[in-house]
Amino acid sequence: MMLRDAGEAVPPLAGQLAAKGYGIVDAVGTELDPVPAAIAGGWVVDLALVSPGLSASPELPGIAARLRVAWPRLPLVCLPEAAAVPGLPSLSRDMSLSEICERLDDLMLAAAEMRAEAERLHWMATGFAARVRQARLGLGHAVADAQRLLAEVRRLPGKGGPDDGLS
């Protein structure tokens, strides 16, 4: 996804990346809702590129927050001409197109691995929670059974008196 200010033209890098096979969706930052209409049709967003104008905008933190609600752990990367933004990786001006593609691929792969690990941990936690619920239910049944058996033993003639150690 190419994020830019409304007053900016689509950066030339978008066309170069599209020619290399990257699916590029242009999104104007100030009009961006959590799920832009251009990609509401089920696209997977692997990366958001931040334009020079948007990198200097005071609206960038809010836009980044909205995007990360829709796509947790979405990498945002500043284009080569963009101002440095604390916490965001940026592409260097002296990188070739091949180097830019390699860097973007590395970032997308790392994000995909984090998503896969987060999903794996989520399913593990779900499994553990289910086992804990089953164990609690089993423990509840075991306690009820023990109480029932103890009550039955106490009712037996000659059993369960104060001197036999069962009470």
Side-chain angles (χ1 to χ4, degrees), residues 7-121:
E8 281 183 296
V10 176
L13 182 59
Q16 294 170 333
L17 290 172
K20 286 280 197 177
Y22 292 86
I24 301 293
V25 175
D26 182 40
V28 177
T30 56
E31 299 168 2
L32 187 65
D33 65 18
V35 182
I39 53 179
W43 283 37
V44 174
V45 177
D46 293 315
L47 182 84
L49 297 170
V50 178
S51 72
L54 193 57
S55 70
S57 172
E59 295 180 28
L60 180 59
I63 291 168
R66 288 194 319 263
L67 282 171
R68 288 192 170 129
V69 166
W71 297 286
R73 293 173 290 284
L74 176 72
L76 274 72
V77 180
C78 292
L79 292 174
E81 303 81 26
V85 177
L88 297 185
S90 58
L91 302 171
S92 171
R93 286 187 170 101
D94 61 346
M95 294 174 90
S96 70
L97 182 57
S98 293
E99 291 171 323
I100 288 173
C101 291
E102 187 174 319
R103 177 74 173 129
L104 295 179
D105 290 346
D106 289 345
L107 290 167
M108 288 187 291
L109 180 61
E113 288 172 347
M114 283 190 330
R115 283 192 303 270
E117 179 66 9
E119 186 173 328
R120 185 185 70 78
L121 291 173

